[in-house]
Amino acid sequence: MRIGLRIDVDTFRGTRIGVPNLCEVFVCHGIKATFFFSVGPDNMGRHLWRLLRPAFLWKMLRTKASRLYGWDILLRGTFWPGPVIGKRLAGVIRDAAQVGHEVGLHAWDHHAWQAHIDRMDADTICRSLDWGAEMLSELLGHPPICSAVPGWKCNDRVLKEKARFAFRYNSDCRGDSIFRPVVDGRELLQPQIPVTLPTYDEVIGRDGVSNDNYSEYLLGLLRPGKLNVLTIHAEVEGIVCLPMFERFVGLALSRGHQFAPLGDMLRESPRVIPSRIVPGEIPGREGWVACQLSSPCGTEK
Ligand SMILES: [Zn+2]
């Protein structure tokens, strides 16, 4: 089976350390994937502390957050303004593109998007996308061809603003098949490539899933003949969980599976159906995420 592989890069540390680590693993195995970069200020420390509510605290303990993210991420942007990732680490982003990975926009300010999206108006959304797209255009020499909002925090307003940009596709939701989003009764041109598989932090420590059986568990979720898309995080699989991720890649390849950038999944998709996005919930993840209507997480409320 072919697994669409997407790497979300949320922080300065993930960009500086996680991305080169993952690129090395990918070179080793001849894998190409899609990197979604956060390029503006890294204020993620604010995000993680804001989430210190009971449900999240439990998750922090379950995943040992300081080990998973590192103290510098937890503190970044809390006492001083965060560094602008695209300025300080331009070379890392450029290198990922130059070795043939697909590169898209994740966020200008990952923290601000996750914290404020519910209250962001069309102008604010457009500005945030524009700053991110501008920075990536400068780095890559062309506008980014795809995008993926932080934390699957997407709504119809975001979809309408994204339509102004030159994205060939977006990956803003969880779901089970490639679709064209319908907003206000109109089918938008940019297809959505939803993420179908759970992330590491959603499954680890639940239902008996541990680092030891994670690979088997994840491979068991692949669906033959259907869309399979996995998100990993540069901060997690690229740093502290790197050995585990390498084992997963090795096992997947030894069973004849292949990894591909999301753009390849789109090219190979026989048909792109119309659908809508609705807010839904994912086990092991706090708060709402955008879900493809009528996929397991997306039901009309
Ligand atoms: Zn992210």
Side-chain angles (χ1 to χ4, degrees):
M1 276 179 264
R2 223 152 150 71
I3 306 167
L5 182 58
R6 136 180 177 180
I7 303 95
D8 286 12
V9 191
D10 297 356
T11 62
F12 185 85
R13 186 173 193 257
T15 315
R16 189 171 66 87
I17 304 171
V19 172
N21 279 350
L22 288 169
C23 282
E24 216 169 284
V25 173
F26 295 155
V27 163
C28 241
H29 296 286
I31 292 172
K32 295 285 187 294
T34 306
F35 282 88
F36 289 111
F37 283 103
S38 305
V39 291
D42 176 1
N43 293 317
M44 279 301 278
R46 285 183 208 168
H47 174 70
L48 294 168
W49 289 111
R50 192 183 69 88
L51 290 176
L52 277 178
R53 291 193 292 268
F56 191 74
L57 192 60
W58 170 236
K59 181 166 165 175
M60 299 266 285
L61 293 171
R62 195 154 48 75
T63 57
K64 298 191 184 68
S66 64
R67 194 180 70 94
L68 199 55
Y69 296 105
W71 283 108
D72 52 338
I73 289 182
L74 293 172
L75 296 174
R76 187 86 70 200
T78 44
F79 303 116
W80 55 91
V84 173
I85 302 168
K87 280 214 171 107
R88 297 267 299 274
L89 298 172
V92 177
I93 298 172
R94 241 182 246 128
D95 286 352
Q98 258 157 23
V99 297
H101 296 296
E102 194 168 60
V103 168
L105 174 65
H106 195 32
W108 170 252
D109 183 337
H110 198 287
H111 160 73
W113 188 282
Q114 275 185 298
H116 307 305
I117 186 63
D118 288 325
R119 295 186 299 280
M120 278 162 73
D121 61 17
D123 283 352
T124 315
I125 291 168
C126 188
R127 217 175 310 130
S128 171
L129 292 169
D130 195 38
W131 287 343
E134 269 294 307
M135 173 74 81
L136 267 184
S137 302
E138 251 172 62
L139 291 178
L140 303 172
H142 60 81
I145 59 155
C146 51
S147 75
V149 292
W152 300 278
K153 296 279 183 200
C154 185
N155 55 35
D156 284 354
R157 205 179 295 145
V158 172
L159 292 178
K160 282 200 271 188
E161 291 311 308
K162 283 202 170 188
R164 300 168 186 273
F165 292 81
F167 302 133
R168 277 181 223 156
Y169 73 85
N170 303 306
S171 181
D172 299 316
C173 65
R174 311 293 282 259
D176 55 15
S177 58
I178 298 181
F179 67 96
R180 277 211 183 80
V182 176
V183 177
D184 300 337
R186 199 166 57 93
E187 202 174 310
L188 301 180
L189 289 176
Q190 294 165 350
Q192 279 288 331
I193 305 182
V195 171
T196 67
L197 293 159
T199 59
Y200 173 80
D201 60 319
E202 286 166 5
V203 296
I204 208 75
R206 290 167 51 94
D207 302 332
V209 181
S210 65
N211 276 358
D212 296 332
N213 59 18
Y214 168 84
S215 301
E216 286 290 351
Y217 174 79
L218 207 58
L219 291 175
L221 297 178
L222 294 177
R223 307 168 311 157
K226 298 205 166 140
L227 179 71
N228 293 292
V229 176
L230 175 68
T231 299
I232 63 167
H233 284 86
E235 291 72 20
V236 179
E237 283 89 341
I239 304 179
V240 69
C241 294
L242 188 66
M244 183 213 66
F245 179 67
E246 281 194 271
R247 281 200 302 278
F248 166 73
V249 167
L251 190 65
L253 296 174
S254 75
R255 300 224 176 129
H257 302 304
Q258 296 168 334
F259 294 94
L262 270 50
D264 286 16
M265 312 302 278
L266 181 62
R267 272 189 288 279
E268 290 159 15
S269 178
R271 64 198 189 100
V272 178
I273 52 160
S275 187
R276 281 174 41 216
I277 60 161
V278 290
E281 279 180 17
I282 297 275
R285 177 163 293 278
E286 212 209 342
W288 67 273
V289 296
C291 292
Q292 176 182 8
L293 187 64
S294 72
S295 72
C297 73
T299 47
E300 196 102 55
K301 296 258 158 50

